[in-house]
Amino acid sequence: MTTVRFPYKQIRGKVQPFIPIGMKLGETWKRFEAYVDSGATYTLIQAQQIDPAFLDFRTGERVAIQVGSGSTIAVYLNQIQLQLGTELLTCPVGISDQLGIRLNVLGKAGIFDRFHVCFRQSQRSLLFEKIEVTGEDSSG
């Protein structure tokens, strides 16, 4: 079973669960820092960080996402290949030019169903343990 460990990072004077992720945009890989948020449905990236020469993010499915203030913003969901440690996976990534926060977020969709994610607060680290699919029907 593959396990990837990420130490928390010092951001603005606080130790937080930020991890590096890679995103394949066209034929190019780009590195992003993302805050791991178990309450976020989707991985969200600021549009300003996406070069339109590599990805026209507005071709993705437009959805409305409710943010912390209660208002909604437009997000474009694109199926994008991500690298998480040594693991490659494709999942929905929301890209928006309306994010009011200055950080990217790693959310649940496409990630938390493939990994057991453990926030080890006392050790200031995150563990992503790949879920092995055996092919057996476990529905009972």
Side-chain angles (χ1 to χ4, degrees), residues 70-120:
S71 62
T72 58
I73 61 170
V75 171
Y76 296 87
L77 292 178
N78 292 267
Q79 291 296 318
I80 296 179
Q81 189 174 20
L82 298 183
Q83 181 177 7
L84 191 68
T86 59
E87 297 295 317
L88 297 176
L89 59 145
T90 300
C91 66
V93 175
I95 302 169
S96 179
D97 53 10
Q98 297 178 349
L99 287 176
I101 53 176
R102 291 192 177 110
L103 54 90
N104 301 310
V105 173
L106 186 77
K108 297 181 299 233
I111 306 288
F112 283 52
D113 55 344
R114 296 179 185 165
F115 294 91
H116 295 291
V117 180
C118 180
F119 290 80
R120 300 178 84 184

Side-chain angles (χ1 to χ4, degrees), residues 24-42:
K24 189 172 184 184
L25 303 172
E27 296 302 314
T28 303
W29 282 92
K30 182 168 179 179
R31 179 186 160 125
F32 294 88
E33 292 290 322
Y35 180 84
V36 180
D37 185 350
S38 63
T41 300
Y42 297 108

Side-chain angles (χ1 to χ4, degrees), residues 4-79:
V4 183
R5 181 187 172 278
F6 295 99
Y8 283 14
K9 294 193 175 177
Q10 181 100 10
I11 306 289
R12 298 181 198 115
K14 295 186 179 182
V15 180
Q16 300 289 333
F18 278 88
I19 67 169
I21 58 172
M23 285 180 52
K24 189 172 184 184
L25 303 172
E27 296 302 314
T28 303
W29 282 92
K30 182 168 179 179
R31 179 186 160 125
F32 294 88
E33 292 290 322
Y35 180 84
V36 180
D37 185 350
S38 63
T41 300
Y42 297 108
T43 295
L44 299 173
I45 303 292
Q46 301 173 61
Q48 299 85 336
Q49 295 183 354
I50 304 294
D51 185 336
F54 297 116
L55 175 69
D56 179 7
F57 70 88
R58 285 190 171 84
T59 61
E61 176 190 359
R62 186 177 193 268
V63 297
I65 301 286
Q66 186 173 16
V67 294
S69 68
S71 62
T72 58
I73 61 170
V75 171
Y76 296 87
L77 292 178
N78 292 267
Q79 291 296 318

